[in-house]
Amino acid sequence: MHHQLFKDRVCQLVASIPSGKVMTYGQIAALCGSPRSARIVGGIAHFGDDALPWHRVVNKRGGLASGYPGGRRAHALHVRAEGIKVDNKGIIDLAMYIWWPEDGQPEQRTTHDKE
DNA sequence: GTCATGACGGATC
DNA sequence: GGATCCGCCATGA
């Protein structure tokens, strides 16, 4: 495949995140074929389609986006509106809200846990 | 074609 | 445990 569709894949993936769930930039990038392109996802977010639920995209620490329109506070309000708990530092519990598409849900990792 | 950038990630100090 | 630096790689000028 070609990275030309990278942006398009990211957009579709973000659009498929259900309400009340979140994905990380690195996770999205990996699913789009480039695990090291997390920043690219961020770039797409800024200049991409505002209609997409970018507020459901957080960084690997579960932290809110730095350049979100309105600031991290606005981001926090938006995710909270979907039932996601955010602590005082603006950190989301990824273990509880992380979501994977049906296609590549590595929930088996929790049982085996290798790495 | 080259250069700079970015809503990140991971390693290092 | 927090702050900082560097690398990453697609994108736009």
Side-chain angles (χ1 to χ4, degrees), chain A residues 12-81:
Chain A
Q12 291 189 76
L13 197 50
V14 172
S16 69
I17 304 175
S19 178
K21 290 292 180 178
V22 299
M23 290 186 79
T24 69
Y25 293 96
Q27 180 186 1
I28 293 171
L31 289 172
C32 289
S34 297
R36 310 293 165 159
S37 312
R39 340 184 44 166
I40 314 304
V41 179
I44 296 169
H46 193 85
F47 285 94
D49 191 336
D50 292 328
L52 296 177
W54 291 111
H55 59 275
R56 294 177 190 148
V57 184
V58 298
N59 61 38
K60 197 142 197 207
R61 299 169 294 184
L64 304 171
S66 6
Y68 194 85
R72 298 193 191 80
R73 197 167 71 83
H75 192 171
L77 291 174
H78 292 161
V79 293
R80 250 187 276 170

